[in-house]
Short mmCIF file of all heavy atoms in Angstrom, two decimals:
data_model
loop_
_atom_site.label_atom_id
_atom_site.label_comp_id
_atom_site.label_asym_id
_atom_site.label_seq_id
_atom_site.Cartn_x
_atom_site.Cartn_y
_atom_site.Cartn_z
N TYR P 33 20.86 131.08 5.22
CA TYR P 33 19.75 130.11 5.35
C TYR P 33 20.30 128.72 4.98
O TYR P 33 21.09 128.61 4.06
CB TYR P 33 18.55 130.41 4.44
CG TYR P 33 18.12 131.83 4.60
CD1 TYR P 33 18.81 132.88 4.09
CD2 TYR P 33 16.92 132.10 5.21
CE1 TYR P 33 18.35 134.18 4.17
CE2 TYR P 33 16.43 133.43 5.38
CZ TYR P 33 17.18 134.43 4.85
OH TYR P 33 16.72 135.74 4.93
N TYR P 35 18.90 124.90 3.79
CA TYR P 35 17.78 124.09 3.30
C TYR P 35 18.28 122.69 3.03
O TYR P 35 19.43 122.51 2.61
CB TYR P 35 17.19 124.70 1.97
CG TYR P 35 16.36 125.90 2.16
CD1 TYR P 35 16.91 127.14 2.29
CD2 TYR P 35 15.01 125.74 2.24
CE1 TYR P 35 16.10 128.29 2.51
CE2 TYR P 35 14.19 126.89 2.38
CZ TYR P 35 14.75 128.09 2.53
OH TYR P 35 13.94 129.24 2.63
N GLN P 37 17.29 119.27 0.76
CA GLN P 37 16.54 118.74 -0.40
C GLN P 37 16.73 117.26 -0.46
O GLN P 37 17.82 116.69 -0.73
CB GLN P 37 16.97 119.40 -1.74
CG GLN P 37 16.10 119.00 -2.86
CD GLN P 37 16.42 119.60 -4.22
OE1 GLN P 37 17.63 119.94 -4.42
NE2 GLN P 37 15.47 119.76 -5.11
N GLN P 48 17.89 129.75 9.95
CA GLN P 48 18.36 131.05 9.40
C GLN P 48 19.17 131.78 10.49
O GLN P 48 18.80 131.76 11.68
CB GLN P 48 17.16 131.89 8.98
CG GLN P 48 17.60 133.28 8.49
CD GLN P 48 16.54 134.40 8.67
OE1 GLN P 48 15.46 134.10 9.07
NE2 GLN P 48 16.89 135.60 8.23
N PHE P 90 21.50 122.89 0.92
CA PHE P 90 21.74 124.20 0.30
C PHE P 90 21.91 125.23 1.34
O PHE P 90 21.26 125.26 2.36
CB PHE P 90 20.52 124.56 -0.61
CG PHE P 90 20.49 123.92 -1.93
CD1 PHE P 90 19.55 122.95 -2.17
CD2 PHE P 90 21.32 124.29 -2.91
CE1 PHE P 90 19.43 122.37 -3.45
CE2 PHE P 90 21.28 123.69 -4.20
CZ PHE P 90 20.36 122.75 -4.41
N ALA P 96 19.51 141.20 4.04
CA ALA P 96 18.93 141.57 5.38
C ALA P 96 18.00 140.49 5.77
O ALA P 96 17.52 139.64 5.02
CB ALA P 96 18.27 142.87 5.32
N PRO P 97 17.65 140.45 7.06
CA PRO P 97 16.73 139.38 7.60
C PRO P 97 15.31 139.75 7.37
O PRO P 97 14.48 138.89 7.48
CB PRO P 97 17.08 139.37 9.06
CG PRO P 97 17.45 140.76 9.40
CD PRO P 97 18.15 141.32 8.13
N GLY P 98 14.94 140.91 7.08
CA GLY P 98 13.54 141.29 6.99
C GLY P 98 13.39 142.41 6.02
O GLY P 98 14.29 142.76 5.28
N GLY P 99 12.23 142.96 5.97
CA GLY P 99 11.93 144.05 5.08
C GLY P 99 11.20 143.51 3.88
O GLY P 99 11.28 142.31 3.51
N ASP P 100 10.50 144.42 3.19
CA ASP P 100 9.68 143.99 2.16
C ASP P 100 10.23 144.31 0.78
O ASP P 100 9.53 144.26 -0.23
CB ASP P 100 8.30 144.60 2.28
CG ASP P 100 7.57 144.02 3.44
OD1 ASP P 100 7.92 142.91 3.86
OD2 ASP P 100 6.62 144.69 3.96
N GLY P 102 11.39 143.94 -2.62
CA GLY P 102 11.27 142.85 -3.59
C GLY P 102 12.60 142.47 -4.09
O GLY P 102 12.74 141.37 -4.61
N ASN P 104 15.21 142.01 -2.30
CA ASN P 104 15.89 141.26 -1.27
C ASN P 104 15.56 139.79 -1.30
O ASN P 104 14.78 139.34 -0.53
CB ASN P 104 15.64 141.87 0.08
CG ASN P 104 16.71 141.57 1.10
OD1 ASN P 104 17.63 140.84 0.81
ND2 ASN P 104 16.62 142.17 2.25
N LEU P 106 16.62 135.55 -2.02
CA LEU P 106 17.70 134.63 -1.57
C LEU P 106 18.55 134.19 -2.80
O LEU P 106 18.00 134.03 -3.87
CB LEU P 106 17.00 133.28 -1.02
CG LEU P 106 16.17 133.46 0.26
CD1 LEU P 106 15.86 132.06 0.76
CD2 LEU P 106 16.91 134.22 1.32
N PHE P 108 21.14 131.24 -3.78
CA PHE P 108 21.52 129.90 -3.38
C PHE P 108 22.90 129.52 -3.82
O PHE P 108 23.39 129.93 -4.90
CB PHE P 108 20.55 128.83 -3.94
CG PHE P 108 19.26 128.82 -3.23
CD1 PHE P 108 18.23 129.73 -3.49
CD2 PHE P 108 19.00 127.84 -2.25
CE1 PHE P 108 17.04 129.68 -2.84
CE2 PHE P 108 17.78 127.82 -1.58
CZ PHE P 108 16.80 128.71 -1.88
N GLY P 111 25.11 123.75 -3.40
CA GLY P 111 24.75 122.66 -2.54
C GLY P 111 25.87 121.69 -2.19
O GLY P 111 26.93 121.70 -2.87
N TYR N 44 5.07 137.12 -1.06
CA TYR N 44 5.81 136.99 -2.30
C TYR N 44 5.72 135.61 -2.84
O TYR N 44 5.76 134.64 -2.11
CB TYR N 44 7.32 137.35 -2.12
CG TYR N 44 7.53 138.83 -1.69
CD1 TYR N 44 7.62 139.18 -0.39
CD2 TYR N 44 7.63 139.87 -2.70
CE1 TYR N 44 7.86 140.53 -0.02
CE2 TYR N 44 7.83 141.14 -2.37
CZ TYR N 44 7.94 141.45 -0.99
OH TYR N 44 8.13 142.80 -0.67
N TYR N 48 11.68 129.15 -9.05
CA TYR N 48 13.10 128.79 -9.15
C TYR N 48 13.30 127.69 -10.06
O TYR N 48 12.44 126.80 -10.24
CB TYR N 48 13.62 128.41 -7.70
CG TYR N 48 14.00 129.56 -6.77
CD1 TYR N 48 13.03 130.03 -5.95
CD2 TYR N 48 15.29 130.05 -6.77
CE1 TYR N 48 13.40 131.13 -5.14
CE2 TYR N 48 15.62 131.06 -5.93
CZ TYR N 48 14.66 131.61 -5.09
OH TYR N 48 15.04 132.67 -4.23
N GLN N 50 15.96 124.56 -11.24
CA GLN N 50 17.08 123.79 -10.83
C GLN N 50 17.58 122.87 -11.94
O GLN N 50 17.01 121.79 -12.22
CB GLN N 50 16.78 122.93 -9.59
CG GLN N 50 18.01 122.24 -9.03
CD GLN N 50 17.67 121.44 -7.77
OE1 GLN N 50 16.61 120.87 -7.68
NE2 GLN N 50 18.64 121.38 -6.78
N ARG N 54 22.28 121.42 -10.39
CA ARG N 54 21.68 121.46 -9.08
C ARG N 54 21.55 122.93 -8.52
O ARG N 54 20.95 123.09 -7.47
CB ARG N 54 22.52 120.68 -7.98
CG ARG N 54 22.79 119.25 -8.42
CD ARG N 54 23.59 118.53 -7.38
NE ARG N 54 24.60 119.35 -6.73
CZ ARG N 54 25.63 118.92 -6.06
NH1 ARG N 54 25.84 117.61 -5.98
NH2 ARG N 54 26.54 119.66 -5.47
N GLN N 55 22.15 123.87 -9.17
CA GLN N 55 22.10 125.24 -8.70
C GLN N 55 20.64 125.74 -8.69
O GLN N 55 19.88 125.53 -9.67
CB GLN N 55 22.92 126.11 -9.63
CG GLN N 55 22.92 127.57 -9.27
CD GLN N 55 23.90 127.85 -8.09
OE1 GLN N 55 25.00 127.42 -8.13
NE2 GLN N 55 23.46 128.57 -7.09
N ARG N 61 9.75 136.63 -9.77
CA ARG N 61 9.11 136.81 -8.55
C ARG N 61 7.91 137.73 -8.72
O ARG N 61 7.94 138.57 -9.65
CB ARG N 61 10.08 137.41 -7.44
CG ARG N 61 10.55 138.75 -7.79
CD ARG N 61 11.39 139.31 -6.65
NE ARG N 61 11.89 140.63 -6.97
CZ ARG N 61 13.03 140.93 -7.59
NH1 ARG N 61 13.85 139.90 -7.87
NH2 ARG N 61 13.37 142.16 -7.81
N PHE N 102 10.59 124.93 -9.39
CA PHE N 102 10.00 124.99 -8.10
C PHE N 102 9.25 126.30 -7.93
O PHE N 102 9.79 127.36 -8.16
CB PHE N 102 11.04 124.87 -6.96
CG PHE N 102 11.70 123.52 -6.91
CD1 PHE N 102 12.91 123.26 -7.52
CD2 PHE N 102 11.08 122.45 -6.16
CE1 PHE N 102 13.54 122.01 -7.46
CE2 PHE N 102 11.69 121.24 -6.16
CZ PHE N 102 12.88 121.01 -6.74
N SER N 108 5.26 138.26 3.65
CA SER N 108 5.83 139.60 3.56
C SER N 108 6.15 140.09 4.93
O SER N 108 5.50 139.71 5.89
CB SER N 108 4.77 140.49 2.89
OG SER N 108 5.26 141.83 2.88
N GLY N 109 7.22 140.91 5.03
CA GLY N 109 7.57 141.42 6.35
C GLY N 109 8.17 140.40 7.28
O GLY N 109 8.67 139.42 6.80
N SER N 111 10.84 138.87 10.06
CA SER N 111 12.34 139.00 10.24
C SER N 111 12.97 137.76 9.55
O SER N 111 14.13 137.48 9.78
CB SER N 111 12.71 139.02 11.65
OG SER N 111 12.30 137.85 12.31
N ASN N 112 12.29 137.04 8.78
CA ASN N 112 12.99 135.93 8.08
C ASN N 112 12.51 135.78 6.63
O ASN N 112 11.40 136.27 6.34
CB ASN N 112 12.91 134.62 8.82
CG ASN N 112 11.49 133.99 8.74
OD1 ASN N 112 11.15 133.46 7.72
ND2 ASN N 112 10.73 134.15 9.76
N TYR N 113 13.28 135.18 5.80
CA TYR N 113 12.88 134.96 4.48
C TYR N 113 12.68 133.49 4.24
O TYR N 113 13.07 132.98 3.17
CB TYR N 113 14.02 135.42 3.51
CG TYR N 113 13.99 136.94 3.32
CD1 TYR N 113 15.16 137.66 3.36
CD2 TYR N 113 12.81 137.61 3.15
CE1 TYR N 113 15.16 139.00 3.17
CE2 TYR N 113 12.77 138.98 2.96
CZ TYR N 113 13.99 139.69 3.01
OH TYR N 113 13.97 141.06 2.84
N LEU N 115 11.39 130.37 2.81
CA LEU N 115 10.63 130.00 1.59
C LEU N 115 10.00 128.68 1.80
O LEU N 115 10.63 127.68 2.28
CB LEU N 115 11.58 129.92 0.42
CG LEU N 115 12.17 131.24 -0.17
CD1 LEU N 115 13.23 130.97 -1.23
CD2 LEU N 115 11.15 132.11 -0.70
N LYS N 119 6.75 120.69 -4.60
CA LYS N 119 7.55 119.47 -4.87
C LYS N 119 8.30 119.56 -6.19
O LYS N 119 9.17 118.80 -6.39
CB LYS N 119 6.63 118.28 -4.86
CG LYS N 119 6.02 117.98 -3.48
CD LYS N 119 7.04 117.45 -2.49
CE LYS N 119 6.42 116.96 -1.26
NZ LYS N 119 7.32 116.56 -0.24
#
Side-chain angles (χ1 to χ4, degrees):
Chain P
Y33 307 74
Y35 283 82
Q37 185 179 28
Q48 177 205 359
F90 281 107
D100 291 339
N104 203 353
L106 298 190
F108 282 81
Chain N
Y44 293 95
Y48 278 88
Q50 187 178 36
R54 306 179 326 197
Q55 180 80 49
R61 65 176 180 266
F102 292 95
S108 174
S111 63
N112 73 76
Y113 282 138
L115 290 173
K119 294 289 188 185

